[in-house]
Amino acid sequence: MPIATAMAVYFIFWWLTLFTMLPIGLRTQADEDDVTLGTTPSAPHKHRMGRVFLWTTIVSAIIFAIFYVVNEKLGYGVNDLPVFFPQLD
């Protein structure tokens, strides 16, 4: 796998993982009973994007490592999916 392709696949995994990690551990202003005037009660109480980015990077690196091993080392690819999926030749 060329390095540019690996970087693109990792970026896709990272981006998808980011949106799955965002709501984990979220405490809203309504949960904390501290709603700032002019904001929605569902807004986050504390800014925690650094922690979310760190965990997203770790989880997406694990997912990419599994993908790399299955794709490059074991030799399974898109065309090895069962026959009820259309073949991509």
Side-chain angles (χ1 to χ4, degrees), residues 13-53:
F13 285 152
W14 190 90
W15 197 252
L16 292 173
T17 306
L18 172 66
F19 286 108
T20 59
M21 298 293 286
L22 278 174
I24 295 174
L26 177 68
R27 298 288 299 172
T28 64
Q29 291 181 14
D31 293 338
E32 298 293 327
D33 292 328
D34 185 24
V35 179
T36 305
L37 186 63
T39 63
T40 182
S42 61
H45 182 256
K46 289 187 178 180
H47 176 72
R48 58 181 188 87
M49 288 307 293
R51 184 176 358 154
V52 170
F53 284 169

Side-chain angles (χ1 to χ4, degrees), residues 1-20 53 56-57 59-65 67:
M1 175 183 314
I3 189 73
T5 303
M7 289 172 57
V9 170
Y10 178 77
F11 177 74
I12 291 169
F13 285 152
W14 190 90
W15 197 252
L16 292 173
T17 306
L18 172 66
F19 286 108
T20 59
F53 284 169
T56 298
T57 303
V59 171
S60 61
I62 293 168
I63 294 170
F64 179 77
F67 167 78

